[in-house]
Amino acid sequence: MQKNQLNIAVIGAGLTGLTTAYYLKKFGFKVQVFEKNNHAGGVIQTHRKNGFVFESGPNTGSMGQEEAAELFEDLADDCTLEYANKSAEARWIWLNGKWHEMEMGGVKAITTPLFTWHDKFRILGEPFRKPGTDPNETIAQMVRRRMGKSFLRNAIDPFLSGVYAGDPETLVTRFALPKLYWLEQDYGSFIGGSIKQKKARKKEPPRKANRQVFSVENGLDNLIKALVKNIGDENIKLDCKQLEIKNTGDQEFSVDGESFTHVISTVGSHALENLFPFLPKEKMQTINKMKYAKVTQVVLGFNNWKGIPIKAFGGLVPSAEKRDVLGILLPGSFLKNRAPENGALLSVFMGGIKKPEMFEYSDEKIKEIAEREVREMMGLDSFEPDLMEIFRYPHAIPQYSFESEEKVQAISDLETEFKGLTLAGNMRDGIGMADRMKQGRTIANQFAEDYK
Ligand SMILES: Cc1cc2nc3c(=O)[nH]c(=O)nc-3n(C[C@H](O)[C@H](O)[C@H](O)COP(=O)(O)OP(=O)(O)OC[C@H]3O[C@@H](n4cnc5c(N)ncnc54)[C@H](O)[C@@H]3O)c2cc1C
């Protein structure tokens, strides 16, 4: 098949779908995006109200992939990448009724109450411990083996609440934190491996992926608008409420009455069965074993902040502390123009994989919890926010757990059986925004390679 004979449908206009379509179009392919909602962006949505600019989905990403940095370079005329200011370097962990700064280097790393003396000494032996042999080891098993229980309780558990709203006892390292897994496998140690990687990188050309915290000036929806502008409104069909895709022949699909040679799905696994009724049930059952964390995000704005000093990225809460929040993010402190001067913008996260029942709580109950937790944790005498918005996500974050290997195999089998079909999105290849940009770019690169 020649390049000009291809007609590609991308399902879903979230970050993955839009990045895929953007590069496909840039590489000269004919592409049409289909989206269920009446707007693009998926979970990325920015709101502007009462002098605050706030996100209802992701707030920030980590620039961990070259492809993400390159996408921002490619879109530089239409949106401006914003890196967090220095305040974001301060990260807090809640322990025994107060916040403690997370310090992994210097004197504070020795004096911190977050880790036991036993584990602080034990970490010195980390480079000498043998690498694991179980490819499906969970993050909790791996951290206990290499670092100790207090690191799991007060560093890794809250970190995973922040990233996955997940549980270290069920997330499998190879899929959920692949960079960490391969650090151990390739170098035998996290500490030794990080040092060796740093040294090796000094000899290579500078990398664009710098792991800094990023957003977009004046809100993440400006990235979405930039992608939409470059793809072209005419190539994005919104409001496709009842889409059902048919496999009408060898490498032939019908989407909304139009014929396509290729379909790239970027929707969540829970939406696949209705969308692709021709996919065999037993493979879908395997894919659908993957759970999603349900998350509630409460955004609070204060015109005049009277709580504790908030020059920080935010704080995370170990699940062993038994609080009702996963963490509190402070975007007004490290991003420009998000809150009035002397004001504060807080994003409070609740629920997650360990507390799914919270998703059902009424607005009143959520407000009560937000007030109780924020008053105590952020040192407020009175609670009179100038902005309070609640956002709920039934399928916020996919959990790369024990079924991951089987799921990836099932996806690969389906893609082999149905030529022209790609099953992508955040059910595989990483959940972060940078991972999503990488996946979209990689898919488009593969098309460019296959159809020169
Ligand atoms: C509350 C929350 C906080 C997060 N925080 C962070 C963070 O701090 N940092 C970070 O890097 N990542 C974060 N993430 C994760 C990150 O935002 C997502 O992984 C990423 O944005 C997902 O993009 P996507 O395009 O793969 O999926 P989505 O954004 O879910 O897009 C999928 C699209 O497909 C559409 N769709 C679904 N079904 C159909 C159908 N049948 N027909 C047509 N269209 C359909 C949907 O409407 C949607 O627009 C967060 C996610 C959530 C929910």
Side-chain angles (χ1 to χ4, degrees):
M1 205 180 274
Q2 298 295 312
K3 184 174 181 176
N4 61 7
Q5 293 173 302
L6 263 58
N7 195 12
I8 308 170
V10 173
I11 316 299
L15 184 56
T16 312
L18 293 178
T19 307
T20 311
Y22 168 74
Y23 280 113
L24 283 171
K25 179 157 183 252
K26 195 173 152 90
F27 298 157
F29 291 94
K30 189 170 178 235
V31 61
Q32 178 76 46
V33 182
F34 294 88
E35 165 58 47
K36 178 180 72 172
N37 289 333
N38 62 3
H39 55 80
V43 296
I44 297 178
Q45 300 294 325
T46 309
H47 309 260
R48 294 161 184 89
K49 197 171 166 186
N50 303 354
F52 296 90
V53 177
F54 57 99
E55 309 287 346
S56 50
N59 282 265
T60 59
S62 161
M63 195 59 86
Q65 307 288 3
E66 296 291 287
E67 292 81 357
E70 279 168 17
L71 178 63
F72 280 108
E73 283 177 5
D74 289 339
L75 294 173
D77 288 345
D78 299 307
C79 74
T80 310
L81 172 68
E82 179 180 0
Y83 280 120
N85 68 30
K86 280 251 172 217
S87 300
E89 287 172 14
R91 314 250 166 155
W92 305 335
I93 300 287
W94 185 261
L95 180 70
N96 298 332
K98 61 178 190 182
W99 295 113
H100 297 268
E101 210 163 304
M102 183 76 181
E103 284 273 352
M104 291 308 257
V107 180
K108 281 188 186 161
I110 302 169
T111 56
T112 180
L114 291 172
F115 312 122
T116 60
W117 283 107
H118 177 265
D119 285 349
K120 285 179 202 167
F121 282 115
R122 209 171 160 267
I123 199 81
L124 298 174
E126 193 275 336
F128 308 104
R129 247 156 247 141
K130 279 192 194 139
T133 50
D134 175 5
N136 289 318
E137 189 176 39
T138 65
I139 297 173
Q141 287 167 333
M142 185 190 215
V143 173
R144 271 194 293 266
R145 180 167 59 71
R146 294 205 75 83
M147 302 171 83
K149 282 185 197 161
S150 62
F151 281 93
L152 176 61
R153 184 196 192 278
N154 294 334
I156 304 301
D157 170 282
F159 167 72
L160 291 173
S161 286
V163 177
Y164 275 90
D167 180 355
E169 300 290 348
T170 56
L171 290 166
V172 171
T173 318
R174 183 158 58 108
F175 295 95
L177 296 178
K179 284 182 183 165
L180 193 68
Y181 176 80
W182 288 109
L183 208 56
E184 191 195 32
Q185 292 300 309
D186 291 345
Y187 298 95
S189 145
F190 302 155
I191 298 173
S194 305
I195 295 169
K196 280 182 197 153
Q197 264 188 352
K198 245 188 201 162
K199 271 191 191 159
R201 279 191 192 140
K202 276 191 186 150
K203 292 181 193 150
E204 293 168 6
R207 286 162 63 85
K208 295 173 189 165
N210 52 26
R211 292 175 189 237
Q212 281 188 61
V213 172
F214 74 85
S215 178
V216 174
E217 274 189 14
N218 203 29
L220 283 167
D221 68 348
N222 285 311
L223 166 63
I224 300 303
K225 286 179 196 158
L227 284 164
V228 168
K229 178 182 162 196
N230 284 277
I231 296 165
D233 281 327
E234 68 285 6
N235 296 316
I236 304 177
K237 209 166 178 183
L238 300 173
D239 261 323
C240 302
K241 297 268 179 258
Q242 301 288 334
L243 217 54
E244 192 184 298
I245 295 158
K246 294 187 183 87
N247 181 213
T248 44
D250 185 27
Q251 209 168 334
E252 200 183 292
F253 301 89
S254 163
V255 185
D256 210 21
E258 204 184 325
S259 179
F260 290 87
T261 53
H262 294 80
V263 175
I264 302 168
S265 169
T266 69
V267 307
S269 58
H270 50 95
L272 288 175
E273 266 183 301
N274 286 338
L275 200 50
F276 298 97
F278 60 87
L279 294 179
K281 287 265 175 295
E282 86 274 3
K283 291 276 187 244
M284 287 317 301
Q285 271 166 7
T286 307
I287 294 172
N288 281 330
K289 280 185 197 160
M290 183 181 69
K291 287 189 184 156
Y292 283 78
K294 301 174 203 270
V295 171
T296 301
Q297 179 171 190
V298 184
V299 178
L300 298 170
F302 298 83
N303 287 333
N304 207 348
W305 179 247
K306 295 191 177 124
I308 58 172
I310 49 167
K311 277 197 162 189
F313 183 68
L316 290 166
V317 184
S319 49
E321 292 293 303
K322 306 250 179 280
R323 306 293 308 206
D324 278 332
V325 298
L326 299 167
I328 300 175
L329 195 71
L330 304 165
S333 305
F334 57 83
L335 295 174
K336 285 183 285 186
N337 306 326
R338 302 299 169 121
E341 226 184 318
N342 304 321
L345 179 66
L346 280 65
S347 266
V348 183
F349 292 91
M350 300 179 190
I353 204 76
K354 289 187 180 174
K355 289 194 171 181
E357 69 282 2
M358 288 190 88
F359 188 75
E360 310 300 330
Y361 288 1
S362 66
D363 281 5
E364 281 318 300
K365 195 160 177 182
I366 291 292
K367 282 180 189 169
E368 244 177 72
I369 293 170
E371 171 166 359
R372 170 172 33 85
E373 296 289 57
V374 170
R375 272 179 92 129
E376 184 188 335
M377 298 175 115
M378 302 305 290
L380 285 176
D381 291 333
S382 63
F383 186 79
E384 285 150 19
D386 300 288
L387 173 85
M388 185 157 181
E389 304 277 332
I390 301 173
F391 303 97
R392 292 181 177 82
Y393 295 87
H395 298 102
I397 313 279
Q399 305 292 301
Y400 298 167
S401 187
F402 301 109
E403 72 297 323
S404 297
E405 189 164 3
E406 236 188 316
K407 173 196 71 186
V408 170
Q409 186 58 51
I411 292 171
S412 164
D413 292 348
L414 289 171
E415 289 178 343
T416 309
E417 187 176 345
F418 299 95
K419 205 158 170 269
L421 176 66
T422 303
L423 297 175
N426 67 3
M427 64 179 177
R428 63 171 168 98
D429 303 335
I431 57 149
M433 286 189 283
D435 301 319
R436 303 293 82 238
M437 299 178 203
K438 178 178 179 174
Q439 190 188 57
R441 173 72 183 266
T442 307
I443 293 169
N445 282 354
Q446 191 60 54
F447 270 88
E449 181 64 33
D450 292 348
Y451 300 94
K452 282 191 181 120

